[in-house]
Amino acid sequence: MKTAVGTAKQRTLTLLFSEFTEITKARLAVSVVFSALAGYLLGADQISLVSLSLLAFGGYCMVGASNAYNQVIERDLDALMKRTRNRPIPSGRMSVNSAMTLAITLTVLGVFSLYLLNPKTSMFGAISIFLYTSVYTPLKTKTPLAVFVGAFPGAIPFMLGWVAATNEFGIEPGTLFMIQFFWQFPHFWALGWMLDDDYKKGGFKMLPTGKKDSGTALQIIMYTIWMLVISVIPVFGITGKLQLSIPAAVIVFLMGLVMLRFAFALYIKRDNATARKLMLASVSYISLMQIVYVVDKFI
């Protein structure tokens, strides 16, 4: 009897954990936390495990809260799309009240955790939630400019880590912000290209021209070039304490060229398979670039 009760509790906990990871988009949240930790390591003179833990916990809470609010707001639209109809709310596995309670709890925990680091970090985290849920999310069904607006909260994490470590905002975190800001466009437009038919079912306008055409592909190329240029700017010694050695800059540049190659390929082929390759290349680029930056600082 005890074994059966224990098994039932274990299954319940497993289901709750599964719903939690879905409503907070755990994989996305972890990648955002990774960016924030990379920014922290770049800015810190001395590494504090307590600070790293607060940043990781607070960062996850903030991203998780944003995603939960987003799924509450878009629950009816999510039900129309194949890729989202099985999310916790549209599938009926989680109530709107439960999702809102979770989102509010994560917001409070996230703001408080980041405040323990310093008020600036908490402020930028709160701004990120506000922009994502109150501006970006409603705009997705109204204008392709939503991606531009969404790029602001999306670019905050890399910068946030530096601010968490230094309690300062200047050219260094500004540069980190700009790298991830311009990266957002080829990444999300490649994703939007792949999922365009599904997005249209929900009324989302994600591509800059509204179509999978040469205009969209050309803009992807342009933003990829801007991303690549800004990613190597620290090698010229004009970004304050944020430095990049020549070998590291060459590595970052070559990785960017790989991503640019897929962008040009999309312009030529204009198919979903190539868009998927670009999307995967963009995910690899942002993570590897951050690793190169951090490793370069410490060697």
Side-chain angles (χ1 to χ4, degrees):
M1 183 69 176
K2 290 182 179 180
T3 302
V5 172
T7 302
K9 287 182 178 179
Q10 186 176 8
R11 287 177 179 172
T12 301
L13 290 174
T14 300
L15 288 173
L16 288 174
F17 179 75
S18 176
E19 300 305 320
F20 176 80
T21 57
E22 281 195 62
I23 200 74
T24 60
K25 295 185 182 178
R27 287 198 297 179
L28 172 61
V30 168
S31 69
V32 170
V33 169
F34 180 86
S35 293
L37 294 180
Y40 176 91
L41 293 174
L42 289 173
D45 293 325
Q46 292 183 332
I47 297 172
S48 166
L49 292 179
V50 173
S51 295
L52 279 173
S53 299
L54 285 171
L55 180 60
F57 178 75
Y60 189 99
C61 287
M62 301 299 263
V63 180
S66 296
N67 289 326
Y69 286 127
N70 174 265
Q71 290 182 52
V72 168
I73 296 169
E74 295 182 345
R75 59 189 183 277
D76 294 332
L77 301 180
D78 282 346
L80 301 175
M81 296 183 290
K82 182 178 180 181
R83 74 181 190 91
T84 56
R85 65 177 57 146
N86 289 320
R87 283 177 174 174
I89 299 175
S91 67
R93 301 193 310 274
M94 181 180 290
S95 69
V96 171
N97 287 340
S98 295
M100 278 299 294
T101 300
L102 176 63
I104 293 169
T105 301
L106 290 174
T107 301
V108 173
L109 290 174
V111 169
F112 179 71
S113 298
L114 297 181
Y115 186 83
L116 292 177
L117 290 168
N118 58 66
K120 286 190 182 74
T121 304
S122 183
M123 177 190 70
F124 281 122
I127 289 173
S128 176
I129 289 182
F130 173 77
L131 288 176
Y132 189 86
T133 60
S134 301
V135 186
Y136 166 68
T137 296
L139 283 178
K140 286 164 66 179
T141 58
K142 300 185 182 338
T143 172
L145 286 175
V147 174
F148 175 78
V149 175
F152 283 89
I156 285 177
F158 202 14
M159 171 201 79
L160 192 74
W162 186 288
V163 176
T166 65
N167 195 24
E168 296 178 358
F169 182 83
I171 184 125
E172 300 93 345
T175 302
L176 299 180
F177 176 89
M178 292 304 293
I179 293 171
Q180 199 150 354
F181 178 80
F182 282 103
W183 169 84
Q184 304 271 329
F185 296 93
H187 173 73
F188 280 106
W189 283 337
L191 185 64
W193 189 296
M194 291 166 48
L195 301 173
D196 185 54
D197 292 337
D198 211 23
Y199 274 135
K200 285 179 178 177
K201 294 177 183 176
F204 294 129
K205 301 175 180 179
M206 304 302 290
L207 297 178
T209 66
K211 302 176 182 178
K212 298 192 287 187
D213 59 9
S214 60
T216 289
L218 183 60
Q219 290 195 51
I220 288 174
I221 291 171
M222 292 171 60
Y223 278 95
T224 303
I225 291 172
W226 274 112
M227 176 206 74
L228 179 54
V229 170
I230 296 171
S231 294
V232 297
I233 277 181
V235 76
F236 298 106
I238 58 175
T239 52
K241 295 179 181 178
L242 181 64
Q243 302 289 326
L244 196 64
S245 69
I246 293 176
V250 170
I251 293 172
V252 170
F253 185 77
L254 291 175
M255 290 192 303
L257 286 181
V258 172
M259 189 170 158
L260 186 59
R261 173 183 174 274
F262 285 114
F264 273 107
L266 182 61
Y267 181 82
I268 296 170
K269 297 181 179 180
R270 301 180 204 171
D271 61 6
N272 287 351
T274 308
R276 176 176 172 77
K277 290 177 182 178
L278 173 59
M279 188 273 294
L280 293 174
S282 69
V283 172
S284 299
Y285 175 82
I286 197 67
S287 299
L288 292 174
M289 178 274 297
Q290 291 166 349
I291 291 172
V292 170
Y293 264 67
V294 172
V295 171
D296 186 57
K297 175 186 175 180
F298 289 100
I299 61 173

